[in-house]
Amino acid sequence: MTDPFHLGARPDYDIGQVRARRLVEWNGQLFTRADAYGQLDRDAWESERAWLDGRFWDPASDGVTLTVQSFLLETPDHVILVDTGIGNGKSRPSAPPFSDLDTPFLDQLSATGITPADIDIVVLTHLHSDHVGWNTTRVDDTWVPTFPQARYLIPRADYDFFHPAGSGAEHVDADMEQVFADSIDPILGAGQGEFWDGHLQLADGIDLHRVPGHTPGSGVLTVQSGDHSAQFVGDLLSTPMMVGHPDLCAHYGEHDVDVSPRQIRAARRDLLTRAARRGTRVVPAHFNLDAGHFVAHGPNGFSFIETQN
């Protein structure tokens, strides 16, 4: 596991009566700013250097940092895990840094006092390989559910779009055949997978909404408890630069990372507008931030701030 930047110390924070923690699995650079975000010139990034520090972008190498992490939510009645990262021992030929990892992810989970058997619900914001890997662990020669008591919430639109025997879509993630074989099919085979589409209420104040754009079935999990709220937005925001530049979209090789740049741009602006108006904490999947941030309106659009005004 690469760990060039400070990752915090398993920070936890409260969203009303919900305790939230992040579990960091991997942190490193998969691509450069020029390759992934070349539509926005370097001068724009340089102008944000006051806050765009090494957790997000290294000006010397031009590398953009990606943090792969999961989010643990403890409510009065449920334990929810949002996304399951890359996983150990998974073959990912199109993303060599993600192949055959051996990380202490489950040790991090245990350090919180939560065991895999305590997880009630696993929310998969979408089905890219870096969001589903710890769905399963290998026992002998078989992939079995890591969380034996959990309902795994699988976005139906992603399942249909990415299934190797379905549409034939290769979009961005060329390892989908392996992803399904080691991380999706075993969940369904064990009877723990549950398809959802559109909207799903998980518990009082906790809702999952489909927000297509990054993938057809991408979801945003909203937590509302008392006067506090947070949204776990998956890859709707993949770099903090998208907060101030909502039309910025990423590329991976020759592909758009998002299946629909038009949809995700509109969804991103809507998310930021609502978050700024309502004082909602925004928690993206890949930001190296202990507890997400809040959104504020600024003279040139939106800005990311650590605390509410």
Side-chain angles (χ1 to χ4, degrees):
M1 173 176 161
T2 55
D3 185 7
F5 309 125
H6 172 66
L7 295 178
R10 293 193 307 273
D12 58 89
Y13 55 97
D14 293 327
I15 309 162
Q17 292 187 317
V18 177
R19 173 60 54 90
R21 297 182 178 93
R22 71 172 183 149
L23 305 173
V24 176
E25 179 186 20
W26 188 93
N27 193 66
Q29 297 175 358
L30 288 181
F31 36 70
T32 67
R33 175 208 55 81
D35 288 340
Y37 302 108
Q39 70 192 83
L40 194 62
D41 65 30
R42 185 183 176 100
D43 287 345
W45 290 66
E46 291 283 359
S47 68
E48 306 288 350
R49 286 281 295 277
W51 65 273
L52 193 68
D53 58 31
R55 291 173 298 167
F56 312 116
W57 176 53
D58 178 10
S61 67
D62 204 27
V64 176
T65 300
L66 181 79
T67 301
V68 180
Q69 56 200 329
S70 301
F71 302 98
L72 186 66
L73 305 177
E74 294 178 69
T75 82
D77 301 308
H78 300 90
V79 181
I80 301 170
L81 188 67
V82 182
D83 286 332
T84 67
I86 303 162
N88 280 355
K90 303 288 172 89
S91 174
R92 302 291 182 252
S94 72
F98 293 168
S99 279
D100 300 312
L101 294 185
D102 183 14
T103 72
F105 178 83
L106 293 181
D107 292 336
Q108 287 191 60
L109 177 63
S110 296
T112 70
I114 299 294
T115 71
D118 293 327
I119 304 296
D120 299 305
I121 302 171
V122 174
V123 173
L124 305 175
T125 60
H126 59 290
L127 298 188
H128 282 156
S129 63
D130 55 328
H131 292 258
V132 302
W134 279 103
N135 282 1
T136 60
T137 48
R138 185 185 287 277
V139 176
D140 297 325
D141 293 326
T142 304
W143 293 105
V144 301
T146 304
F147 311 104
Q149 306 302 322
R151 300 160 55 203
Y152 287 76
L153 303 182
I154 300 171
R156 166 62 80 176
D158 272 15
Y159 182 86
D160 292 343
F161 183 77
F162 288 117
H163 195 290
S167 67
E170 296 180 358
H171 195 88
V172 178
D173 202 325
D175 295 329
M176 272 299 166
E177 187 170 352
Q178 290 97 323
V179 170
F180 270 72
D182 61 39
S183 299
I184 305 298
D185 292 343
I187 297 305
L188 294 170
Q192 291 181 233
E194 178 181 321
F195 292 113
W196 74 277
D197 198 5
H199 169 254
L200 183 66
Q201 183 174 28
L202 279 61
D204 186 31
I206 301 181
D207 296 89
L208 187 56
H209 292 267
R210 180 183 172 198
V211 184
H214 180 60
T215 66
S218 286
V220 169
L221 183 74
T222 300
V223 178
Q224 179 76 49
S225 180
D227 295 331
H228 302 273
S229 62
Q231 289 193 303
F232 295 81
V233 303
D235 286 10
L236 189 55
L237 295 162
S238 63
T239 169
M241 284 295 283
M242 289 177 173
V243 177
H245 302 270
D247 289 335
L248 179 63
C249 286
H251 299 270
Y252 192 81
E254 298 178 355
H255 298 278
D256 288 325
V257 168
D258 307 305
V259 296
S260 175
R262 178 189 60 80
Q263 278 188 311
I264 200 169
R265 287 174 176 133
R268 190 179 295 137
R269 288 185 175 277
D270 182 64
L271 169 84
L272 295 170
T273 299
R274 291 173 182 269
R277 184 171 67 244
R278 297 176 179 177
T280 299
R281 186 190 301 271
V282 174
V283 188
H286 296 304
F287 287 19
N288 189 6
L289 295 170
D290 285 347
H293 268 32
F294 296 94
V295 178
H297 286 292
N300 299 315
F302 302 99
S303 60
F304 229 23
I305 57 175
E306 191 169 354
T307 58
Q308 281 181 278
N309 294 329

mmCIF file of all heavy atoms in Angstrom, residues 255-289:
data_model
loop_
_atom_site.group_PDB
_atom_site.id
_atom_site.type_symbol
_atom_site.label_atom_id
_atom_site.label_comp_id
_atom_site.label_asym_id
_atom_site.label_seq_id
_atom_site.Cartn_x
_atom_site.Cartn_y
_atom_site.Cartn_z
ATOM 1 N N HIS A 255 -10.610 6.806 -22.726
ATOM 2 C CA HIS A 255 -12.016 6.780 -22.343
ATOM 3 C C HIS A 255 -12.380 7.959 -21.451
ATOM 4 O O HIS A 255 -11.586 8.414 -20.635
ATOM 5 C CB HIS A 255 -12.334 5.495 -21.565
ATOM 6 C CG HIS A 255 -12.124 4.237 -22.335
ATOM 7 N ND1 HIS A 255 -13.056 3.736 -23.210
ATOM 8 C CD2 HIS A 255 -11.092 3.363 -22.352
ATOM 9 C CE1 HIS A 255 -12.608 2.610 -23.731
ATOM 10 N NE2 HIS A 255 -11.419 2.369 -23.225
ATOM 11 N N ASP A 256 -13.629 8.422 -21.594
ATOM 12 C CA ASP A 256 -14.211 9.246 -20.544
ATOM 13 C C ASP A 256 -14.441 8.351 -19.340
ATOM 14 O O ASP A 256 -14.915 7.219 -19.475
ATOM 15 C CB ASP A 256 -15.557 9.832 -20.988
ATOM 16 C CG ASP A 256 -15.405 10.930 -22.021
ATOM 17 O OD1 ASP A 256 -14.422 11.678 -21.939
ATOM 18 O OD2 ASP A 256 -16.282 11.030 -22.902
ATOM 19 N N VAL A 257 -14.106 8.830 -18.164
ATOM 20 C CA VAL A 257 -14.358 8.047 -16.961
ATOM 21 C C VAL A 257 -15.856 7.937 -16.697
ATOM 22 O O VAL A 257 -16.337 6.928 -16.182
ATOM 23 C CB VAL A 257 -13.628 8.668 -15.754
ATOM 24 C CG1 VAL A 257 -14.086 8.056 -14.443
ATOM 25 C CG2 VAL A 257 -12.120 8.484 -15.913
ATOM 26 N N ASP A 258 -16.613 8.956 -17.062
ATOM 27 C CA ASP A 258 -18.053 8.976 -16.826
ATOM 28 C C ASP A 258 -18.798 8.489 -18.065
ATOM 29 O O ASP A 258 -18.483 8.896 -19.189
ATOM 30 C CB ASP A 258 -18.512 10.398 -16.493
ATOM 31 C CG ASP A 258 -17.712 10.993 -15.350
ATOM 32 O OD1 ASP A 258 -17.659 10.359 -14.280
ATOM 33 O OD2 ASP A 258 -17.129 12.086 -15.538
ATOM 34 N N VAL A 259 -19.800 7.637 -17.858
ATOM 35 C CA VAL A 259 -20.553 7.145 -19.008
ATOM 36 C C VAL A 259 -21.332 8.266 -19.676
ATOM 37 O O VAL A 259 -21.609 8.214 -20.873
ATOM 38 C CB VAL A 259 -21.513 5.996 -18.624
ATOM 39 C CG1 VAL A 259 -20.739 4.789 -18.142
ATOM 40 C CG2 VAL A 259 -22.534 6.426 -17.601
ATOM 41 N N SER A 260 -21.708 9.295 -18.892
ATOM 42 C CA SER A 260 -22.422 10.429 -19.458
ATOM 43 C C SER A 260 -21.899 11.719 -18.837
ATOM 44 O O SER A 260 -22.403 12.157 -17.791
ATOM 45 C CB SER A 260 -23.938 10.316 -19.220
ATOM 46 O OG SER A 260 -24.596 11.485 -19.688
ATOM 47 N N PRO A 261 -20.895 12.352 -19.448
ATOM 48 C CA PRO A 261 -20.413 13.631 -18.920
ATOM 49 C C PRO A 261 -21.513 14.670 -18.789
ATOM 50 O O PRO A 261 -21.522 15.455 -17.836
ATOM 51 C CB PRO A 261 -19.358 14.051 -19.950
ATOM 52 C CG PRO A 261 -18.849 12.756 -20.508
ATOM 53 C CD PRO A 261 -20.077 11.878 -20.579
ATOM 54 N N ARG A 262 -22.460 14.685 -19.720
ATOM 55 C CA ARG A 262 -23.545 15.669 -19.640
ATOM 56 C C ARG A 262 -24.364 15.460 -18.369
ATOM 57 O O ARG A 262 -24.673 16.412 -17.639
ATOM 58 C CB ARG A 262 -24.454 15.545 -20.871
ATOM 59 C CG ARG A 262 -25.638 16.510 -20.851
ATOM 60 C CD ARG A 262 -26.622 16.198 -21.971
ATOM 61 N NE ARG A 262 -27.169 14.865 -21.863
ATOM 62 C CZ ARG A 262 -28.164 14.535 -21.039
ATOM 63 N NH1 ARG A 262 -28.702 15.453 -20.260
ATOM 64 N NH2 ARG A 262 -28.611 13.299 -21.001
ATOM 65 N N GLN A 263 -24.720 14.215 -18.081
ATOM 66 C CA GLN A 263 -25.522 13.938 -16.890
ATOM 67 C C GLN A 263 -24.770 14.256 -15.606
ATOM 68 O O GLN A 263 -25.326 14.825 -14.670
ATOM 69 C CB GLN A 263 -25.942 12.463 -16.869
ATOM 70 C CG GLN A 263 -27.155 12.133 -17.701
ATOM 71 C CD GLN A 263 -27.601 10.702 -17.475
ATOM 72 O OE1 GLN A 263 -26.801 9.766 -17.531
ATOM 73 N NE2 GLN A 263 -28.883 10.515 -17.232
ATOM 74 N N ILE A 264 -23.490 13.887 -15.554
ATOM 75 C CA ILE A 264 -22.776 14.079 -14.294
ATOM 76 C C ILE A 264 -22.508 15.555 -14.035
ATOM 77 O O ILE A 264 -22.511 15.997 -12.881
ATOM 78 C CB ILE A 264 -21.479 13.244 -14.237
ATOM 79 C CG1 ILE A 264 -21.042 13.081 -12.765
ATOM 80 C CG2 ILE A 264 -20.367 13.853 -15.073
ATOM 81 C CD1 ILE A 264 -19.944 12.083 -12.555
ATOM 82 N N ARG A 265 -22.309 16.334 -15.076
ATOM 83 C CA ARG A 265 -22.122 17.772 -14.865
ATOM 84 C C ARG A 265 -23.369 18.403 -14.258
ATOM 85 O O ARG A 265 -23.294 19.191 -13.319
ATOM 86 C CB ARG A 265 -21.760 18.449 -16.184
ATOM 87 C CG ARG A 265 -20.331 18.165 -16.653
ATOM 88 C CD ARG A 265 -20.074 18.746 -18.022
ATOM 89 N NE ARG A 265 -18.681 18.551 -18.415
ATOM 90 C CZ ARG A 265 -18.289 18.085 -19.600
ATOM 91 N NH1 ARG A 265 -19.212 17.771 -20.516
ATOM 92 N NH2 ARG A 265 -17.010 17.932 -19.873
ATOM 93 N N ALA A 266 -24.522 18.030 -14.799
ATOM 94 C CA ALA A 266 -25.777 18.569 -14.258
ATOM 95 C C ALA A 266 -26.002 18.088 -12.833
ATOM 96 O O ALA A 266 -26.407 18.866 -11.951
ATOM 97 C CB ALA A 266 -26.946 18.157 -15.156
ATOM 98 N N ALA A 267 -25.725 16.807 -12.569
ATOM 99 C CA ALA A 267 -25.920 16.255 -11.230
ATOM 100 C C ALA A 267 -24.970 16.892 -10.229
ATOM 101 O O ALA A 267 -25.336 17.146 -9.075
ATOM 102 C CB ALA A 267 -25.717 14.742 -11.264
ATOM 103 N N ARG A 268 -23.758 17.160 -10.666
ATOM 104 C CA ARG A 268 -22.763 17.773 -9.772
ATOM 105 C C ARG A 268 -23.176 19.186 -9.378
ATOM 106 O O ARG A 268 -23.092 19.567 -8.209
ATOM 107 C CB ARG A 268 -21.404 17.777 -10.474
ATOM 108 C CG ARG A 268 -20.235 18.160 -9.576
ATOM 109 C CD ARG A 268 -18.942 18.110 -10.373
ATOM 110 N NE ARG A 268 -18.635 16.766 -10.809
ATOM 111 C CZ ARG A 268 -18.185 16.452 -12.022
ATOM 112 N NH1 ARG A 268 -18.039 17.381 -12.946
ATOM 113 N NH2 ARG A 268 -17.901 15.202 -12.323
ATOM 114 N N ARG A 269 -23.631 19.957 -10.339
ATOM 115 C CA ARG A 269 -24.082 21.315 -10.024
ATOM 116 C C ARG A 269 -25.285 21.286 -9.080
ATOM 117 O O ARG A 269 -25.384 22.101 -8.158
ATOM 118 C CB ARG A 269 -24.422 22.068 -11.313
ATOM 119 C CG ARG A 269 -23.196 22.456 -12.128
ATOM 120 C CD ARG A 269 -23.573 23.294 -13.322
ATOM 121 N NE ARG A 269 -22.376 23.746 -14.024
ATOM 122 C CZ ARG A 269 -21.672 24.815 -13.666
ATOM 123 N NH1 ARG A 269 -22.060 25.544 -12.620
ATOM 124 N NH2 ARG A 269 -20.593 25.157 -14.352
ATOM 125 N N ASP A 270 -26.184 20.354 -9.308
ATOM 126 C CA ASP A 270 -27.347 20.243 -8.434
ATOM 127 C C ASP A 270 -26.917 19.858 -7.015
ATOM 128 O O ASP A 270 -27.398 20.441 -6.032
ATOM 129 C CB ASP A 270 -28.311 19.192 -8.994
ATOM 130 C CG ASP A 270 -29.565 19.047 -8.158
ATOM 131 O OD1 ASP A 270 -30.332 20.021 -8.065
ATOM 132 O OD2 ASP A 270 -29.768 17.962 -7.577
ATOM 133 N N LEU A 271 -26.011 18.900 -6.910
ATOM 134 C CA LEU A 271 -25.508 18.483 -5.600
ATOM 135 C C LEU A 271 -24.870 19.648 -4.859
ATOM 136 O O LEU A 271 -25.160 19.898 -3.680
ATOM 137 C CB LEU A 271 -24.478 17.366 -5.766
ATOM 138 C CG LEU A 271 -23.675 17.023 -4.511
ATOM 139 C CD1 LEU A 271 -24.439 16.053 -3.635
ATOM 140 C CD2 LEU A 271 -22.298 16.480 -4.849
ATOM 141 N N LEU A 272 -23.982 20.376 -5.513
ATOM 142 C CA LEU A 272 -23.269 21.468 -4.867
ATOM 143 C C LEU A 272 -24.220 22.597 -4.469
ATOM 144 O O LEU A 272 -24.086 23.181 -3.383
ATOM 145 C CB LEU A 272 -22.175 21.988 -5.798
ATOM 146 C CG LEU A 272 -21.041 20.997 -6.106
ATOM 147 C CD1 LEU A 272 -20.158 21.534 -7.224
ATOM 148 C CD2 LEU A 272 -20.215 20.697 -4.863
ATOM 149 N N THR A 273 -25.185 22.885 -5.320
ATOM 150 C CA THR A 273 -26.157 23.938 -5.009
ATOM 151 C C THR A 273 -26.960 23.574 -3.768
ATOM 152 O O THR A 273 -27.135 24.390 -2.850
ATOM 153 C CB THR A 273 -27.100 24.160 -6.199
ATOM 154 O OG1 THR A 273 -26.334 24.578 -7.339
ATOM 155 C CG2 THR A 273 -28.149 25.217 -5.877
ATOM 156 N N ARG A 274 -27.448 22.349 -3.717
ATOM 157 C CA ARG A 274 -28.253 21.905 -2.577
ATOM 158 C C ARG A 274 -27.420 21.827 -1.307
ATOM 159 O O ARG A 274 -27.883 22.198 -0.216
ATOM 160 C CB ARG A 274 -28.886 20.551 -2.880
ATOM 161 C CG ARG A 274 -29.954 20.589 -3.953
ATOM 162 C CD ARG A 274 -30.406 19.178 -4.323
ATOM 163 N NE ARG A 274 -31.396 19.194 -5.376
ATOM 164 C CZ ARG A 274 -32.706 19.235 -5.175
ATOM 165 N NH1 ARG A 274 -33.176 19.278 -3.933
ATOM 166 N NH2 ARG A 274 -33.547 19.236 -6.184
ATOM 167 N N ALA A 275 -26.186 21.326 -1.426
ATOM 168 C CA ALA A 275 -25.331 21.196 -0.245
ATOM 169 C C ALA A 275 -24.997 22.560 0.345
ATOM 170 O O ALA A 275 -24.965 22.740 1.565
ATOM 171 C CB ALA A 275 -24.055 20.441 -0.606
ATOM 172 N N ALA A 276 -24.726 23.543 -0.518
ATOM 173 C CA ALA A 276 -24.428 24.891 -0.028
ATOM 174 C C ALA A 276 -25.641 25.520 0.644
ATOM 175 O O ALA A 276 -25.517 26.192 1.673
ATOM 176 C CB ALA A 276 -23.956 25.763 -1.192
ATOM 177 N N ARG A 277 -26.805 25.273 0.084
ATOM 178 C CA ARG A 277 -28.026 25.871 0.637
ATOM 179 C C ARG A 277 -28.434 25.216 1.953
ATOM 180 O O ARG A 277 -28.880 25.895 2.888
ATOM 181 C CB ARG A 277 -29.167 25.749 -0.378
ATOM 182 C CG ARG A 277 -30.453 26.444 0.080
ATOM 183 C CD ARG A 277 -31.497 26.506 -1.017
ATOM 184 N NE ARG A 277 -32.019 25.204 -1.370
ATOM 185 C CZ ARG A 277 -31.872 24.619 -2.554
ATOM 186 N NH1 ARG A 277 -31.193 25.228 -3.517
ATOM 187 N NH2 ARG A 277 -32.395 23.439 -2.804
ATOM 188 N N ARG A 278 -28.228 23.923 2.071
ATOM 189 C CA ARG A 278 -28.733 23.186 3.235
ATOM 190 C C ARG A 278 -27.677 22.938 4.314
ATOM 191 O O ARG A 278 -28.002 22.418 5.380
ATOM 192 C CB ARG A 278 -29.296 21.846 2.766
ATOM 193 C CG ARG A 278 -30.484 21.980 1.818
ATOM 194 C CD ARG A 278 -30.944 20.628 1.300
ATOM 195 N NE ARG A 278 -32.096 20.759 0.419
ATOM 196 C CZ ARG A 278 -32.662 19.740 -0.224
ATOM 197 N NH1 ARG A 278 -32.171 18.516 -0.083
ATOM 198 N NH2 ARG A 278 -33.708 19.945 -1.015
ATOM 199 N N GLY A 279 -26.421 23.261 4.032
ATOM 200 C CA GLY A 279 -25.382 22.992 5.014
ATOM 201 C C GLY A 279 -25.088 21.512 5.173
ATOM 202 O O GLY A 279 -24.836 21.023 6.284
ATOM 203 N N THR A 280 -25.097 20.789 4.070
ATOM 204 C CA THR A 280 -24.877 19.345 4.084
ATOM 205 C C THR A 280 -23.400 19.026 3.909
ATOM 206 O O THR A 280 -22.739 19.571 3.023
ATOM 207 C CB THR A 280 -25.678 18.679 2.943
ATOM 208 O OG1 THR A 280 -27.074 18.929 3.145
ATOM 209 C CG2 THR A 280 -25.434 17.180 2.899
ATOM 210 N N ARG A 281 -22.904 18.144 4.757
ATOM 211 C CA ARG A 281 -21.526 17.661 4.604
ATOM 212 C C ARG A 281 -21.462 16.770 3.355
ATOM 213 O O ARG A 281 -22.319 15.908 3.149
ATOM 214 C CB ARG A 281 -21.122 16.850 5.834
ATOM 215 C CG ARG A 281 -19.673 16.420 5.857
ATOM 216 C CD ARG A 281 -19.408 15.422 6.973
ATOM 217 N NE ARG A 281 -19.735 15.943 8.291
ATOM 218 C CZ ARG A 281 -18.876 16.618 9.065
ATOM 219 N NH1 ARG A 281 -17.647 16.832 8.640
ATOM 220 N NH2 ARG A 281 -19.255 17.051 10.259
ATOM 221 N N VAL A 282 -20.443 16.974 2.520
ATOM 222 C CA VAL A 282 -20.265 16.191 1.303
ATOM 223 C C VAL A 282 -19.033 15.297 1.470
ATOM 224 O O VAL A 282 -17.942 15.778 1.789
ATOM 225 C CB VAL A 282 -20.109 17.104 0.067
ATOM 226 C CG1 VAL A 282 -19.781 16.289 -1.181
ATOM 227 C CG2 VAL A 282 -21.385 17.916 -0.150
ATOM 228 N N VAL A 283 -19.235 13.992 1.251
ATOM 229 C CA VAL A 283 -18.163 13.017 1.459
ATOM 230 C C VAL A 283 -17.946 12.243 0.156
ATOM 231 O O VAL A 283 -18.640 11.266 -0.121
ATOM 232 C CB VAL A 283 -18.499 12.046 2.607
ATOM 233 C CG1 VAL A 283 -17.289 11.172 2.936
ATOM 234 C CG2 VAL A 283 -18.962 12.798 3.848
ATOM 235 N N PRO A 284 -16.986 12.658 -0.683
ATOM 236 C CA PRO A 284 -16.686 11.928 -1.906
ATOM 237 C C PRO A 284 -15.884 10.656 -1.609
ATOM 238 O O PRO A 284 -15.204 10.547 -0.586
ATOM 239 C CB PRO A 284 -15.858 12.927 -2.731
ATOM 240 C CG PRO A 284 -16.109 14.262 -2.082
ATOM 241 C CD PRO A 284 -16.299 13.948 -0.628
ATOM 242 N N ALA A 285 -15.935 9.715 -2.530
ATOM 243 C CA ALA A 285 -15.298 8.422 -2.308
ATOM 244 C C ALA A 285 -13.780 8.508 -2.277
ATOM 245 O O ALA A 285 -13.134 7.763 -1.533
ATOM 246 C CB ALA A 285 -15.734 7.440 -3.397
ATOM 247 N N HIS A 286 -13.174 9.403 -3.060
ATOM 248 C CA HIS A 286 -11.728 9.343 -3.277
ATOM 249 C C HIS A 286 -10.948 10.546 -2.750
ATOM 250 O O HIS A 286 -9.781 10.705 -3.080
ATOM 251 C CB HIS A 286 -11.430 9.159 -4.764
ATOM 252 C CG HIS A 286 -11.937 7.864 -5.319
ATOM 253 N ND1 HIS A 286 -11.583 6.645 -4.795
ATOM 254 C CD2 HIS A 286 -12.773 7.595 -6.353
ATOM 255 C CE1 HIS A 286 -12.169 5.671 -5.482
ATOM 256 N NE2 HIS A 286 -12.902 6.235 -6.430
ATOM 257 N N PHE A 287 -11.576 11.391 -1.932
ATOM 258 C CA PHE A 287 -10.852 12.536 -1.381
ATOM 259 C C PHE A 287 -10.137 12.122 -0.100
ATOM 260 O O PHE A 287 -10.728 11.461 0.761
ATOM 261 C CB PHE A 287 -11.812 13.682 -1.043
ATOM 262 C CG PHE A 287 -12.368 14.427 -2.225
ATOM 263 C CD1 PHE A 287 -12.363 13.884 -3.499
ATOM 264 C CD2 PHE A 287 -12.928 15.674 -2.050
ATOM 265 C CE1 PHE A 287 -12.895 14.576 -4.575
ATOM 266 C CE2 PHE A 287 -13.470 16.382 -3.124
ATOM 267 C CZ PHE A 287 -13.457 15.829 -4.383
ATOM 268 N N ASN A 288 -8.904 12.570 0.042
ATOM 269 C CA ASN A 288 -8.131 12.268 1.245
ATOM 270 C C ASN A 288 -8.466 13.298 2.327
ATOM 271 O O ASN A 288 -7.653 14.136 2.700
ATOM 272 C CB ASN A 288 -6.645 12.267 0.919
ATOM 273 C CG ASN A 288 -5.804 11.752 2.069
ATOM 274 O OD1 ASN A 288 -6.328 11.284 3.081
ATOM 275 N ND2 ASN A 288 -4.503 11.829 1.930
ATOM 276 N N LEU A 289 -9.716 13.224 2.799
ATOM 277 C CA LEU A 289 -10.222 14.139 3.818
ATOM 278 C C LEU A 289 -10.818 13.316 4.948
ATOM 279 O O LEU A 289 -11.563 12.365 4.698
ATOM 280 C CB LEU A 289 -11.302 15.061 3.247
ATOM 281 C CG LEU A 289 -10.872 16.041 2.163
ATOM 282 C CD1 LEU A 289 -12.097 16.691 1.528
ATOM 283 C CD2 LEU A 289 -9.954 17.107 2.745
#
